[in-house]
Amino acid sequence: MRRRLRFNGTGSGEGGCPAVHEDLATGEVIVHGPPVQDPADLARLKHLGDGEVAIVVPRNTLADFGPRDEAPQIIDLDAFGRLFENFSYTAWRLETRRRYASDEKTPAYAQFLAGERPSWDYSSSWCRTISEKTRTGARVARVRVVDAPPTVGQRYLLAHAEKNAALGEEIRLVRRDRAEAQLLGEEDFWIFDSRLVALLNFDEDDDFISAELITEPARVNRYVQLRDAAWHYAKPYEEFPLSDG
């Protein structure tokens, strides 16, 4: 079966080898680099089987980009909300889900379903926080993955981008087929100041229930790479007709 490979990183400043990839399905790590070719060196390697190739990998490459098994740090919704009060420079999100149950509990969603233009509420603490952050120079941005055709929830979020933009957020959208081609994955997460990741957890009813905090530099770096790829391939929401979804 074809592997679901994710590029974790390379120790080469030129973007070449050695490099580390991770199989998202099995957790296996794949490393490629220059082979060990000296017969005397190969003869001293233990358990080198037929068809196997020994490669040279700098220690820092494995330290920087190899996955680690760590106990997750889970925070509740109140603690998650405080992340938006405490970041200094950037807050960025990848939205991958087809439905967010919290949206469906708002008056604006009911108006949207009725074919009306939603009346956005800008008085919430969230709106005040984000408006103040962007007004004072911080950047808040998102990329939303859109199916073909878009789900009802995704169509609502396309309309909701008007509210996001009014708060100073930058919103882009990317088709799911392109997101899959670029191995963006299905995780829904925020990155704060390029140093902390909040991986969002949802229950079977699509309700947001908690967040896992990630601060280990190698893991954070992988999410930052996903951010850069998603932003590159996504379109500003104003330029994303539904027919492209």
Side-chain angles (χ1 to χ4, degrees), residues 63-91:
D64 290 343
F65 303 111
R68 293 166 174 80
D69 291 327
E70 298 179 342
Q73 180 182 355
I74 304 298
I75 61 172
D76 61 21
L77 303 190
D78 289 337
F80 172 73
R82 289 193 290 273
L83 296 177
F84 296 90
E85 301 171 3
N86 297 327
F87 82 91
S88 298
Y89 310 111
T90 60

Side-chain angles (χ1 to χ4, degrees), residues 35-46 48 54:
V36 177
Q37 296 179 316
D38 187 286
D41 291 336
L42 291 171
R44 290 196 295 270
L45 295 177
K46 295 183 180 297
L48 185 65

Side-chain angles (χ1 to χ4, degrees), residues 48-60:
L48 185 65
D50 292 340
E52 295 181 345
V53 177
I55 63 172
V56 179
V57 181
R59 179 182 295 271
N60 71 289

Side-chain angles (χ1 to χ4, degrees), residues 190-225:
W190 280 94
I191 306 175
F192 298 93
D193 292 335
S194 296
R195 66 172 185 82
L196 183 151
V197 173
L199 186 61
L200 308 189
N201 298 320
F202 296 83
D203 64 17
E204 60 184 12
D205 296 319
D206 297 311
D207 279 305
F208 172 44
I209 55 173
S210 65
E212 177 187 347
L213 292 188
I214 299 171
T215 57
E216 194 277 310
R219 291 187 67 191
V220 171
N221 179 64
R222 290 197 288 272
Y223 288 99
V224 168
Q225 292 176 24

Side-chain angles (χ1 to χ4, degrees), residues 36 60 150 152 164 172 174 178 187 190 229 244:
V36 177
N60 71 289
V152 175
N164 296 122
R172 291 189 179 185
V174 63
R178 174 155 288 184
E187 293 177 318
W190 280 94
D244 278 358

Side-chain angles (χ1 to χ4, degrees), residues 8-229:
N8 282 0
T10 175
S12 170
E14 301 299 321
C17 64
V20 178
H21 292 75
E22 186 174 353
D23 188 322
L24 299 179
T26 67
E28 293 174 315
V29 178
I30 298 175
V31 182
H32 66 82
V36 177
Q37 296 179 316
D38 187 286
D41 291 336
L42 291 171
R44 290 196 295 270
L45 295 177
K46 295 183 180 297
H47 309 298
L48 185 65
D50 292 340
E52 295 181 345
V53 177
I55 63 172
V56 179
V57 181
R59 179 182 295 271
N60 71 289
T61 300
L62 294 179
D64 290 343
F65 303 111
R68 293 166 174 80
D69 291 327
E70 298 179 342
Q73 180 182 355
I74 304 298
I75 61 172
D76 61 21
L77 303 190
D78 289 337
F80 172 73
R82 289 193 290 273
L83 296 177
F84 296 90
E85 301 171 3
N86 297 327
F87 82 91
S88 298
Y89 310 111
T90 60
W92 188 93
R93 183 178 181 182
L94 180 64
E95 295 183 352
T96 61
R97 299 178 66 83
R98 294 172 172 86
R99 173 178 179 256
Y100 296 90
S102 59
D103 290 338
E104 300 171 8
K105 302 171 185 177
T106 64
Y109 192 86
Q111 292 174 323
F112 171 78
L113 289 183
E116 304 171 5
R117 186 173 183 272
S119 300
W120 306 117
D121 177 12
Y122 295 100
S123 64
S124 68
S125 59
W126 160 266
C127 289
R128 293 194 299 271
T129 297
I130 298 303
S131 293
E132 178 64 16
K133 287 287 187 178
T134 58
R135 185 186 66 80
T136 55
R139 185 187 184 201
V140 181
R142 310 181 195 224
V143 166
R144 289 173 170 149
V145 177
V146 180
D147 286 277
T151 66
V152 175
Q154 291 166 352
R155 286 179 178 271
Y156 170 74
L157 287 176
L158 183 57
H160 193 276
E162 176 186 43
K163 177 180 179 179
N164 296 122
L167 299 176
E169 293 190 51
E170 301 174 65
I171 305 296
R172 291 189 179 185
L173 289 84
V174 63
R175 297 187 310 188
R176 189 170 298 277
D177 58 351
R178 174 155 288 184
E180 291 175 346
Q182 300 304 317
L183 301 179
L184 298 186
E186 297 182 357
E187 293 177 318
D188 212 294
F189 60 89
W190 280 94
I191 306 175
F192 298 93
D193 292 335
S194 296
R195 66 172 185 82
L196 183 151
V197 173
L199 186 61
L200 308 189
N201 298 320
F202 296 83
D203 64 17
E204 60 184 12
D205 296 319
D206 297 311
D207 279 305
F208 172 44
I209 55 173
S210 65
E212 177 187 347
L213 292 188
I214 299 171
T215 57
E216 194 277 310
R219 291 187 67 191
V220 171
N221 179 64
R222 290 197 288 272
Y223 288 99
V224 168
Q225 292 176 24
L226 292 177
R227 176 194 66 191
D228 292 347

